[in-house]
mmCIF file of all heavy atoms in Angstrom:
data_model
loop_
_atom_site.group_PDB
_atom_site.id
_atom_site.type_symbol
_atom_site.label_atom_id
_atom_site.label_comp_id
_atom_site.label_asym_id
_atom_site.label_seq_id
_atom_site.Cartn_x
_atom_site.Cartn_y
_atom_site.Cartn_z
ATOM 1 N N GLU A 1454 7.944 -199.135 -41.955
ATOM 2 C CA GLU A 1454 6.983 -200.054 -42.539
ATOM 3 C C GLU A 1454 7.466 -200.556 -43.884
ATOM 4 O O GLU A 1454 7.359 -201.763 -44.177
ATOM 5 C CB GLU A 1454 5.668 -199.294 -42.710
ATOM 6 C CG GLU A 1454 4.477 -200.168 -43.050
ATOM 7 C CD GLU A 1454 3.192 -199.362 -43.100
ATOM 8 O OE1 GLU A 1454 3.155 -198.306 -43.763
ATOM 9 O OE2 GLU A 1454 2.227 -199.779 -42.439
ATOM 10 N N ALA A 1458 10.369 -203.361 -40.813
ATOM 11 C CA ALA A 1458 10.757 -203.288 -39.388
ATOM 12 C C ALA A 1458 9.583 -202.760 -38.560
ATOM 13 O O ALA A 1458 9.621 -201.673 -37.990
ATOM 14 C CB ALA A 1458 11.965 -202.381 -39.236
ATOM 15 N N LEU A 1459 8.525 -203.567 -38.469
ATOM 16 C CA LEU A 1459 7.279 -203.106 -37.852
ATOM 17 C C LEU A 1459 7.430 -202.884 -36.341
ATOM 18 O O LEU A 1459 6.900 -201.928 -35.802
ATOM 19 C CB LEU A 1459 6.167 -204.122 -38.144
ATOM 20 C CG LEU A 1459 5.864 -204.362 -39.639
ATOM 21 C CD1 LEU A 1459 4.766 -205.405 -39.774
ATOM 22 C CD2 LEU A 1459 5.490 -203.073 -40.349
ATOM 23 N N GLU A 1460 8.132 -203.779 -35.657
ATOM 24 C CA GLU A 1460 8.352 -203.607 -34.243
ATOM 25 C C GLU A 1460 9.150 -202.355 -33.952
ATOM 26 O O GLU A 1460 8.855 -201.617 -33.021
ATOM 27 C CB GLU A 1460 8.987 -204.870 -33.665
ATOM 28 C CG GLU A 1460 9.167 -204.797 -32.143
ATOM 29 C CD GLU A 1460 7.852 -204.794 -31.384
ATOM 30 O OE1 GLU A 1460 6.903 -205.433 -31.808
ATOM 31 O OE2 GLU A 1460 7.797 -204.093 -30.319
ATOM 32 N N GLY A 1462 9.297 -199.702 -35.813
ATOM 33 C CA GLY A 1462 8.437 -198.572 -36.088
ATOM 34 C C GLY A 1462 7.508 -198.251 -34.911
ATOM 35 O O GLY A 1462 7.296 -197.113 -34.572
ATOM 36 N N ALA A 1463 6.944 -199.330 -34.336
ATOM 37 C CA ALA A 1463 6.074 -199.152 -33.159
ATOM 38 C C ALA A 1463 6.870 -198.565 -31.999
ATOM 39 O O ALA A 1463 6.418 -197.676 -31.312
ATOM 40 C CB ALA A 1463 5.450 -200.468 -32.782
ATOM 41 N N ARG A 1466 7.583 -194.860 -32.652
ATOM 42 C CA ARG A 1466 6.431 -194.019 -32.433
ATOM 43 C C ARG A 1466 6.226 -193.770 -30.931
ATOM 44 O O ARG A 1466 5.959 -192.653 -30.512
ATOM 45 C CB ARG A 1466 5.158 -194.630 -33.039
ATOM 46 C CG ARG A 1466 3.994 -193.609 -33.027
ATOM 47 C CD ARG A 1466 2.660 -194.279 -32.963
ATOM 48 N NE ARG A 1466 2.468 -195.160 -31.813
ATOM 49 C CZ ARG A 1466 2.170 -194.711 -30.566
ATOM 50 N NH1 ARG A 1466 2.058 -193.440 -30.312
ATOM 51 N NH2 ARG A 1466 2.014 -195.568 -29.599
ATOM 52 N N ARG A 1467 6.384 -194.829 -30.146
ATOM 53 C CA ARG A 1467 6.223 -194.666 -28.662
ATOM 54 C C ARG A 1467 7.298 -193.737 -28.102
ATOM 55 O O ARG A 1467 7.019 -192.923 -27.260
ATOM 56 C CB ARG A 1467 6.275 -196.057 -27.998
ATOM 57 C CG ARG A 1467 5.002 -196.857 -28.225
ATOM 58 C CD ARG A 1467 4.934 -198.071 -27.315
ATOM 59 N NE ARG A 1467 6.043 -198.966 -27.503
ATOM 60 C CZ ARG A 1467 6.058 -200.038 -28.294
ATOM 61 N NH1 ARG A 1467 4.996 -200.268 -29.034
ATOM 62 N NH2 ARG A 1467 7.083 -200.827 -28.379
ATOM 63 N N LEU A 1490 -1.045 -190.908 -34.193
ATOM 64 C CA LEU A 1490 -0.737 -191.897 -35.226
ATOM 65 C C LEU A 1490 -0.845 -193.323 -34.765
ATOM 66 O O LEU A 1490 -0.438 -194.262 -35.444
ATOM 67 C CB LEU A 1490 0.663 -191.651 -35.782
ATOM 68 C CG LEU A 1490 0.847 -190.273 -36.433
ATOM 69 C CD1 LEU A 1490 2.272 -190.033 -36.801
ATOM 70 C CD2 LEU A 1490 -0.057 -190.124 -37.624
ATOM 71 N N VAL A 1491 -1.457 -193.543 -33.596
ATOM 72 C CA VAL A 1491 -1.649 -194.922 -33.115
ATOM 73 C C VAL A 1491 -2.549 -195.639 -34.133
ATOM 74 O O VAL A 1491 -3.589 -195.160 -34.533
ATOM 75 C CB VAL A 1491 -2.336 -194.920 -31.747
ATOM 76 C CG1 VAL A 1491 -2.729 -196.320 -31.335
ATOM 77 C CG2 VAL A 1491 -1.434 -194.289 -30.689
ATOM 78 N N GLY A 1492 -2.070 -196.745 -34.640
ATOM 79 C CA GLY A 1492 -2.800 -197.494 -35.635
ATOM 80 C C GLY A 1492 -2.617 -197.039 -37.087
ATOM 81 O O GLY A 1492 -3.239 -197.625 -37.971
ATOM 82 N N ALA A 1493 -1.753 -196.092 -37.299
ATOM 83 C CA ALA A 1493 -1.553 -195.558 -38.669
ATOM 84 C C ALA A 1493 -0.664 -196.445 -39.530
ATOM 85 O O ALA A 1493 -0.737 -196.417 -40.754
ATOM 86 C CB ALA A 1493 -0.982 -194.153 -38.599
ATOM 87 N N ILE A 1494 0.175 -197.233 -38.878
ATOM 88 C CA ILE A 1494 1.020 -198.168 -39.646
ATOM 89 C C ILE A 1494 0.701 -199.589 -39.269
ATOM 90 O O ILE A 1494 0.064 -199.841 -38.248
ATOM 91 C CB ILE A 1494 2.524 -197.880 -39.443
ATOM 92 C CG1 ILE A 1494 2.941 -198.075 -37.983
ATOM 93 C CG2 ILE A 1494 2.884 -196.471 -39.920
ATOM 94 C CD1 ILE A 1494 4.439 -198.059 -37.773
ATOM 95 N N LYS A 1495 1.183 -200.516 -40.069
ATOM 96 C CA LYS A 1495 0.940 -201.932 -39.758
ATOM 97 C C LYS A 1495 1.580 -202.285 -38.446
ATOM 98 O O LYS A 1495 2.609 -201.716 -38.044
ATOM 99 C CB LYS A 1495 1.565 -202.830 -40.862
ATOM 100 C CG LYS A 1495 0.944 -202.662 -42.215
ATOM 101 C CD LYS A 1495 1.689 -203.537 -43.199
ATOM 102 C CE LYS A 1495 1.216 -203.266 -44.602
ATOM 103 N NZ LYS A 1495 2.067 -203.988 -45.582
ATOM 104 N N THR A 1496 0.960 -203.220 -37.730
ATOM 105 C CA THR A 1496 1.511 -203.633 -36.479
ATOM 106 C C THR A 1496 2.141 -205.036 -36.645
ATOM 107 O O THR A 1496 1.674 -205.811 -37.458
ATOM 108 C CB THR A 1496 0.427 -203.706 -35.370
ATOM 109 O OG1 THR A 1496 -0.627 -204.551 -35.807
ATOM 110 C CG2 THR A 1496 -0.111 -202.339 -35.061
ATOM 111 N N PRO A 1497 3.151 -205.322 -35.878
ATOM 112 C CA PRO A 1497 3.765 -206.636 -35.998
ATOM 113 C C PRO A 1497 2.813 -207.731 -35.497
ATOM 114 O O PRO A 1497 2.006 -207.479 -34.585
ATOM 115 C CB PRO A 1497 5.009 -206.527 -35.090
ATOM 116 C CG PRO A 1497 4.769 -205.412 -34.179
ATOM 117 C CD PRO A 1497 3.829 -204.462 -34.883
ATOM 118 N N THR A 1498 2.934 -208.888 -36.088
ATOM 119 C CA THR A 1498 2.071 -209.997 -35.607
ATOM 120 C C THR A 1498 2.681 -210.545 -34.331
ATOM 121 O O THR A 1498 3.893 -210.598 -34.196
ATOM 122 C CB THR A 1498 1.988 -211.138 -36.664
ATOM 123 O OG1 THR A 1498 3.320 -211.551 -36.967
ATOM 124 C CG2 THR A 1498 1.295 -210.632 -37.907
ATOM 125 N N ARG A 1499 1.810 -210.912 -33.436
ATOM 126 C CA ARG A 1499 2.291 -211.449 -32.167
ATOM 127 C C ARG A 1499 2.330 -212.928 -32.226
ATOM 128 O O ARG A 1499 1.374 -213.572 -32.646
ATOM 129 C CB ARG A 1499 1.349 -210.990 -31.028
ATOM 130 C CG ARG A 1499 1.423 -209.494 -30.828
ATOM 131 C CD ARG A 1499 0.556 -209.123 -29.639
ATOM 132 N NE ARG A 1499 0.611 -207.687 -29.487
ATOM 133 C CZ ARG A 1499 1.127 -207.077 -28.456
ATOM 134 N NH1 ARG A 1499 1.660 -207.765 -27.467
ATOM 135 N NH2 ARG A 1499 1.134 -205.742 -28.399
#
Side-chain angles (χ1 to χ4, degrees):
E1454 192 175 50
L1459 301 178
E1460 183 64 36
R1466 191 208 57 79
R1467 287 191 301 267
L1490 299 174
V1491 172
I1494 63 170
K1495 294 177 189 174
T1496 56
T1498 57
R1499 294 185 182 244

